[in-house]
């Protein structure tokens, strides 16, 4: 196979003239090293091989060779490297010359080396009259790629070309192994093996005990062509757990581990929307840095579909383009009703990143769908919006520049695309330098501009210039004191403001300006000590921030809408996301962090609250936790036990009655193979129905996997919507609506993976119908099958 051909080629490069006729041996201290392992070879099926034979009828002797446990390389066997590629260094326990028979015989731990190749045998006999060289007894050959050949007898010509081999085993550096009963060299330089078997599976378990490989490929004939470094199988069959399942006409393997062109194993899926789906792909290797995968999808309940993926690695970066195309009936984007005529439908996804030097880089992504249900109908994605973007960045030690653009395609039925904004360009520049006038700390200057346009909605342009100063000091008592100051000047322009349905987001049409100034002092005082056999750290924290009145409602709100008080923004200088809204007035925020670390355990807790010295409900919407003088109480608790338990709980308690306004739980228990995950979120903010970004929600997510019988596992997952009409009047949910469930069984060992999954969707979305979906998947290591 790959290595066998490589070995034969290597031997052909060793001239027989390098043998000293007087029997002298070159002895050295350097040892042969096979080198570091590399990634496993890709193996695919391509055009049928020549001379397809009948079914193999061998006696299976290669099976024992395939599972042979190989001894480790012994560095003491390796002689010093020769002084040139035309010389062979060798050593042996004994060396004799028969003048009558004109034979040179080396016996006892014979080791030969030329360049990066080496041969070891119990005995090597060179017949000077015929030119034949025979190595016998525990023969091991290591080529320049690190592949190792094991056999009992090998015949070589006086030019070191392989003539015949018997009962050979080849262990590839890439991880596979090939066994054959016989091997010989063809007249055109190819190496031909008969009655061969190949596998990439381990033949010993974790305890070092022998085990049968999960899969193997058997073949009547294997041909290695050194011209293209490829091994081709004739009469190949795939066997799994000893059962012959699938013929593999045209199977080929690269000897250097590189990918090759060929067909991939088909996928099988059954769904309510499309019936039975059979999809297959052809992988086309166009070069070391680019490839193309072409796919075809056949359905019993839908017209066929084609797909393709192009990938390219350049000297500046990498990019890929993926596309799907078909022609079928669809539904109306706005009403969700079926359309009888057949239309072209498809999806395009492209992304890439390029580095133009030590400072400049470019990142881009494009996602477009022909209609709103194509991705769900063909089970490509469940996203409800597609974002496309580009960003040109320059980064050095003290400055940052970003020039970006964003566009979004909505996939929600009934949502008008014309109301979705396009942000182009978005420019942000920042520069950091030491604060002037000797006051210490760091000063960051910022320039930012934004242009948002809508086909059928409000357009907004914004620009600002600002500066932020930070100074952090530690007092003699151990308090960490941080002083912060920020000033900013904004300019806005907007039109068609009345097309924004939520009044508090509109701002005044035309030109508007505003000035912003914020100052804050933040004090943390950590106390550390022993507790429960470990170390605990208790850190009280208090922050005072103040700002003069800010004309928030005079300018549009484009990037500060989805606001909610939580632990992550409790001590932020501006607790709104984005730049369009800035908290004004004076406030004091207080809370504490507590951390306990004991062997194998770590517990962290954060709790805090804030008090405003003035009340300004026009900025903070009722229900966000900050609309009154005293805020709600927020917190987070994290618990970890080794890598077995991970628990995170976040909450917000109403300051008046301690009602839970936010309750979020994420927990994982178990190992990588057997685990259970639970996620729960409930937002009970009771915000007015017109604020679409802040509606109440409640859902639970569960997932579990249970491993059994060493390599088998069962798994399941589900998402349930618990939101009722009291929480969101726009929904028709009764408070327990399953969204999606999934169950499956899988097998996975070191080289084989397969399984069956069942998924049920409970909601219709246009022509993406609710119902059951079944999928069978299959993957083999080193055989290119996913």
């Amino acid at each position: 196979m790959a290595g066998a051909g490589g070995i034969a080629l290597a031997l052909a490069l060793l001239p027989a003239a390098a043998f000293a006729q007087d029997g002298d041996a070159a002895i050295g201290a350097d040892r042969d090293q096979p080198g570091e392992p590399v990634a496993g070879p890709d193996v695919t099926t391509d055009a049928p091989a020549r001379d397809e034979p009948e079914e193999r009828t061998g006696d299976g002797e290669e099976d024992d060779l395939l599972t042979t446990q190989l001894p480790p390389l012994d560095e003491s066997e390796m002689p010093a490297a020769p002084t040139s590629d035309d010389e062979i260094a060798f050593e042996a326990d004994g060396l004799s010359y028969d003048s009558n028979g004109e034979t040179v015989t080396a016996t006892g731990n014979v080791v030969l080396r030329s360049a990066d190749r080496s041969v070891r045998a119990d005995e090597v006999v060179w017949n000077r009259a015929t030119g034949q060289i025979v190595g016998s007894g525990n023969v091991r050959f290591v080529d320049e790629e690190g592949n190792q050949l094991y056999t009992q007898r090998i015949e070589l010509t006086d030019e070191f070309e392989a003539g015949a081999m018997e009962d050979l085993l080849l262990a590839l550096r890439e991880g596979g192994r090939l066994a054959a009963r016989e091997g010989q060299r063809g007249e055109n330089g190819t190496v031909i093996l008969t009655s061969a078997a190949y596998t990439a599976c381990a033949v010993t378990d974790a305890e070092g005990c022998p085990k049968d490989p999960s899969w193997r490929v058997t073949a009547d004939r294997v041909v290695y062509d050194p011209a293209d470094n490829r091994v081709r199988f004739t009469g190949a069959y795939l066997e799994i757990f000893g059962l012959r399942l699938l013929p593999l006409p045209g199977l080929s393997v690269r000897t250097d581990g590189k990918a090759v062109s060929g067909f991939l194993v088909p996928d099988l899926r059954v769904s309510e929307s499309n019936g039975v789906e059979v999809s297959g792909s052809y992988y086309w290797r166009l070069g070391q840095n680019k490839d193309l995968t072409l796919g075809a999808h056949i359905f019993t309940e839908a017209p066929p579909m084609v797909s393709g993926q192009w990938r390219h690695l350049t000297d500046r970066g990498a990019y890929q383009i993926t596309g799907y195309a078909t022609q079928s009936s669809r539904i109306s984007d706005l009403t969700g009703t079926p359309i009888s005529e057949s239309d072209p439908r498809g999806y395009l996804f492209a992304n890439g990143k390029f580095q133009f030097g030590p400072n400049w880089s470019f990142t881009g992504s494009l996602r477009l769908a022909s209609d709103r249900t194509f991705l769900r109908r063909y089970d490509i994605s469940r996203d409800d919006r597609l974002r496309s973007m580009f960003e040109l960045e320059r980064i050095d030690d003290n400055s940052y520049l970003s020039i970006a653009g964003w566009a979004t395609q909505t996939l929600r039925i009934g949502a008008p695309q014309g109301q979705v904004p396009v942000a182009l360009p978005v420019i942000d520049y920042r520069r950091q330098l030491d604060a002037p006038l000797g006051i210490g700390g760091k000063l960051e200057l910022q320039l930012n501009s934004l242009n948002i346009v809508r086909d059928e909605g409000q357009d907004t342009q914004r620009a600002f210039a600002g500066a932020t100063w930070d100074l952090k000091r530690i007092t003699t008592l151990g308090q960490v004191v941080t002083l912060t100051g920020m000033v900013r000047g904004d300019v806005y322009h907007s039109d068609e403001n009345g097309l924004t349905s939520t009044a508090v987001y509109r701002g005044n049409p035309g030109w508007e300006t505003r000035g912003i100034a914020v100052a804050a002092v933040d004090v943390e005082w950590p106390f550390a000590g022993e507790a429960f056999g470990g170390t605990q750290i208790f850190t009280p924290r208090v922050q005072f921030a103040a700002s003069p009145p800010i004309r928030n409602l005079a300018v549009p709100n484009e990037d500060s809408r989805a606001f909610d008080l939580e632990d992550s923004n409790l001590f932020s200088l501006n607790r709104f996301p984005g730049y369009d809204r800035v908290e004004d007035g004076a406030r004091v925020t207080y809370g504490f962090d507590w951390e306990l670390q004991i062997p194998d355990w770590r517990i962290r807790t954060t709790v805090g609250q804030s008090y405003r010295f003035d009340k300004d409900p026009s900025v903070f919407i009722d229900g966000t936790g900050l609309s009154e003088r005293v805020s709600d109480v927020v917190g987070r608790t994290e618990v970890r036990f080794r890598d077995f338990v991970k628990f995170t709980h976040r909450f917000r308690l109403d300051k008046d009655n301690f009602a839970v306004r936010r309750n979020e739980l994420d927990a994982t228990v178990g190992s990588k193979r057997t685990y259970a995950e639970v996620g729960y979120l409930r937002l009970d903010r009771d915000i007015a129905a017109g604020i679409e970004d802040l509606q109440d929600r409640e859902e639970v997510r569960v997932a579990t996997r249970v491993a059994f019988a060493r390599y088998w596992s069962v798994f399941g997952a589900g998402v349930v919507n618990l939101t009722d009409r009291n929480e969101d009047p726009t929904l028709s949910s009764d408070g327990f609506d399953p969204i999606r469930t999934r169950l499956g069984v899988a097998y996975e060992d070191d080289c084989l993976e397969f399984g069956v999954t069942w998924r049920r969707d409970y909601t219709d979305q246009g022509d993406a119908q609710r119902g059951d979906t079944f999928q069978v998947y299959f993957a083999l290591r080193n055989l290119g099958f996913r």
Side-chain angles (χ1 to χ4, degrees):
M1 186 182 137
I7 289 167
L9 180 62
L11 294 180
L13 299 177
L14 307 182
F19 277 106
Q21 295 187 15
D22 59 0
D24 292 341
I27 308 297
D30 292 342
R31 307 305 182 198
D32 180 65
Q33 296 293 336
E36 296 295 327
V38 297
D42 289 326
V43 183
T44 61
T45 57
D46 52 12
R50 301 185 298 272
D51 303 328
E52 191 79 6
E54 298 179 356
E55 182 173 334
R56 186 176 68 85
T57 57
D59 57 10
E61 292 179 0
E62 72 280 359
D63 296 353
D64 295 335
L65 288 170
L66 195 65
T67 58
T68 300
Q69 297 188 47
L70 305 180
L73 286 175
D74 187 353
E75 295 184 359
S76 64
E77 299 172 355
M78 303 306 173
T83 58
S84 71
D85 291 345
D86 294 334
E87 296 182 4
I88 296 178
F90 73 96
E91 65 180 39
D93 292 342
L95 189 67
S96 63
Y97 175 65
D98 182 357
S99 57
N100 295 328
E102 293 191 79
T103 59
V104 178
T105 302
T107 59
N109 297 316
V110 184
V111 182
L112 303 91
R113 182 179 179 185
S114 176
D116 294 327
R117 301 175 296 272
S118 64
V119 179
R120 184 221 176 272
D122 291 341
E123 181 181 84
V124 174
V125 179
W126 175 32
N127 190 316
R128 298 182 59 194
T130 64
Q132 183 186 56
I133 301 174
V134 177
S136 59
N138 298 315
V139 177
R140 174 168 57 197
F141 179 93
V142 181
D143 68 9
E144 61 272 24
E145 301 296 332
N147 304 313
Q148 302 177 53
L149 171 68
Y150 295 83
T151 184
Q152 286 299 314
R153 186 177 185 277
I154 185 171
E155 296 181 7
L156 308 169
T157 67
D158 56 359
E159 294 180 355
F160 254 65
E161 293 182 350
M165 294 167 281
E166 298 178 355
D167 296 334
L168 62 95
L169 170 65
L170 176 69
L172 297 176
R173 179 181 176 182
E174 290 81 5
R177 54 173 58 199
L178 176 72
R181 287 190 298 170
E182 297 177 354
Q184 60 182 359
R185 189 177 185 86
E187 295 180 357
N188 59 354
T190 60
V191 176
I192 303 171
L193 307 177
T194 58
S195 299
Y198 169 81
T199 187
C201 301
V203 296
T204 59
D205 58 20
E207 289 75 29
C209 300
K211 74 179 186 71
D212 294 330
S214 304
W215 65 264
R216 65 172 189 161
V217 174
T218 60
D220 295 298
R221 188 168 178 262
V222 176
V223 178
Y224 166 65
D225 185 354
D228 60 1
N229 293 322
R230 186 178 295 189
V231 176
R232 291 181 171 85
F233 294 75
T234 300
Y237 280 83
L238 174 64
E239 295 184 2
I240 297 180
F241 300 124
L243 299 176
R244 178 174 291 186
L245 298 180
L246 182 69
L248 300 175
L251 180 69
S252 64
V253 182
R254 292 280 302 194
T255 62
D256 52 10
K258 298 177 181 178
V260 296
S261 302
F263 290 99
L264 303 178
V265 169
D267 284 336
L268 177 63
R269 182 181 299 173
V270 181
S271 66
E272 194 72 27
S273 299
N274 303 312
V276 178
E277 174 189 353
V278 179
S279 60
S281 301
Y282 182 82
Y283 175 80
W284 190 2
R285 185 73 167 181
L286 298 173
Q288 299 300 320
N289 62 333
K290 52 190 174 183
D291 56 40
L292 176 65
T293 302
L294 301 175
H297 308 255
I298 307 299
F299 311 94
T300 60
E301 301 294 333
M305 181 174 66
V306 296
S307 63
Q309 183 184 58
W310 165 263
R311 301 187 300 177
H312 189 195
L313 176 64
T314 72
D315 58 350
R316 297 286 187 179
Y319 69 96
Q320 71 89 25
I321 303 172
T322 301
Y324 296 83
T326 187
Q327 181 155 332
S328 64
S329 59
R330 60 178 182 86
I331 56 92
S332 168
D333 287 347
L334 295 179
T335 65
T337 57
I339 297 176
S340 59
E341 63 268 19
S342 181
D343 293 331
R345 306 178 69 185
Y347 170 61
L348 178 64
F349 169 51
N351 67 339
K353 185 176 181 64
F354 299 90
Q355 191 75 34
F356 301 114
N359 303 119
W360 287 93
S361 65
F362 177 85
T363 303
S365 176
L366 174 68
R367 299 185 71 190
L368 293 173
S370 60
D371 55 86
R372 306 196 183 193
T373 59
F374 177 82
L375 295 180
R376 284 179 178 260
R377 164 72 183 269
Y378 294 100
D379 213 10
I380 299 171
S381 171
R382 308 194 66 81
D383 293 339
D384 61 359
R385 60 179 64 89
L386 302 178
R387 292 188 177 94
S388 300
M389 58 79 64
F390 76 87
E391 185 173 27
L392 179 66
E393 291 181 292
R394 186 188 186 279
I395 305 173
D396 61 25
D397 293 339
N398 299 307
S399 67
Y400 171 78
L401 172 66
S402 170
I403 303 174
W406 298 81
T408 302
Q409 178 186 4
T410 182
L411 301 183
R412 297 179 179 180
I413 301 299
Q417 180 65 43
Q419 291 284 342
V420 179
V422 175
L424 178 71
V426 182
I427 302 176
D428 188 57
Y429 175 76
R430 306 183 190 194
R431 184 168 187 83
Q432 190 177 80
L433 40 91
D434 293 332
L437 305 177
I439 61 177
K442 289 292 183 180
L443 180 66
E444 182 180 274
L445 306 179
Q446 182 179 12
L447 298 174
N448 182 281
S449 70
L450 169 69
N451 177 46
I452 288 181
V453 296
R454 296 176 174 89
D455 289 340
E456 303 171 3
Q458 177 177 329
D459 297 336
T460 302
Q461 295 81 43
R462 179 195 71 202
F464 70 76
T468 302
W469 170 73
D470 281 298
L471 174 65
K472 179 177 289 188
R473 291 289 185 266
I474 300 177
T475 70
T476 56
L477 295 178
Q479 297 102 334
V480 180
V481 180
T482 303
L483 302 177
T484 304
M486 188 268 285
V487 293
R488 201 176 86 196
D490 300 350
V491 177
Y492 281 80
H493 179 268
S494 59
D495 54 24
E496 299 186 282
N497 301 54
L499 297 178
T500 297
S501 58
T502 305
V504 295
Y505 294 161
R506 296 173 183 168
N508 299 330
W511 291 95
E512 291 288 343
T513 62
R514 67 176 180 178
I516 300 171
V518 181
V521 56
D522 191 305
V523 180
E524 302 174 67
W525 197 354
F527 296 89
E530 297 181 355
F532 307 104
T535 302
Q536 66 171 338
I537 302 175
F538 178 71
T539 307
R541 183 176 182 181
V542 60
Q543 179 195 73
F544 177 78
S547 172
I550 298 174
R551 302 178 66 241
N552 278 296
L553 298 184
V555 301
N557 182 2
E558 297 283 3
D559 63 7
S560 302
R561 299 183 177 184
F563 168 76
D564 194 13
L565 180 65
E566 55 189 43
D567 63 279
S568 61
N569 62 13
L570 177 65
F571 288 94
S572 298
L573 194 64
N574 179 28
R575 291 184 282 201
F576 282 100
Y579 298 106
D580 291 334
R581 292 290 181 265
V582 179
E583 185 176 357
D584 56 4
R587 69 178 187 269
V588 59
T589 304
Y590 44 88
F592 67 86
D593 297 327
W594 179 73
E595 180 176 351
L596 173 65
Q597 292 190 14
I598 57 179
D600 300 327
W601 287 89
R602 186 180 69 186
I603 303 174
R604 291 180 177 178
T605 294
T606 297
V607 178
Q609 189 181 34
S610 69
Y611 175 81
R612 295 175 55 84
F613 291 93
D614 58 345
K615 183 178 180 181
D616 189 0
S618 61
V619 177
F620 295 105
I621 299 171
D622 287 337
T624 58
L626 274 173
S627 58
E628 300 183 20
R629 290 182 182 273
V630 180
S631 77
D632 290 346
V633 179
V634 296
R636 182 187 72 247
T637 299
E638 297 179 0
V639 178
R640 291 204 173 192
F641 172 70
R642 296 181 180 174
D643 289 330
F644 188 78
V645 175
K646 299 177 183 179
F647 173 88
T648 301
H649 179 240
R650 302 172 68 189
F651 65 89
R652 176 159 70 88
L653 302 179
D654 191 293
K655 62 170 177 50
D656 295 322
N657 55 15
F658 296 104
V660 180
R661 300 302 180 190
R662 181 188 188 101
N663 192 14
E664 184 176 0
L665 172 72
D666 286 288
T668 301
V669 179
S671 62
K672 292 182 179 180
R673 299 193 65 227
T674 297
Y675 60 84
E677 295 179 351
V678 177
Y680 173 77
L681 172 64
R682 183 172 187 264
L683 300 175
D684 184 19
R685 298 173 292 197
D686 197 23
I687 293 176
I691 313 300
E692 68 273 14
D693 303 279
L694 300 172
Q695 291 305 298
D696 291 336
R697 291 290 183 269
E698 185 176 9
E699 74 171 26
V700 62
R701 308 174 308 278
V702 295
T704 184
R705 178 181 292 269
V706 178
F708 66 96
R710 192 165 193 173
Y711 299 118
W712 290 90
S713 64
V714 293
F715 55 88
V719 179
V720 180
N721 181 16
L722 303 178
T723 310
D724 57 29
R725 275 169 283 187
N726 293 328
E727 295 170 316
D728 188 347
T730 64
L731 298 180
S732 59
S733 171
D734 61 1
F736 188 88
D737 279 347
I739 303 299
R740 189 168 57 255
T741 56
R742 185 170 67 103
L743 294 173
V745 59
Y747 174 92
E748 181 178 3
D749 61 21
D750 64 296
C751 63
L752 171 64
E753 180 181 0
F754 66 88
V756 179
T757 62
W758 164 80
R759 191 189 74 228
R760 181 170 181 82
D761 295 298
Y762 293 85
T763 58
D764 291 325
Q765 184 167 348
D767 59 349
Q769 302 176 28
R770 61 185 297 174
D772 300 324
T773 298
F774 298 90
Q775 183 175 3
V776 178
Y777 63 92
F778 182 76
L780 299 178
R781 177 192 171 201
N782 277 25
L783 222 56
F785 296 158
R786 309 243 192 273

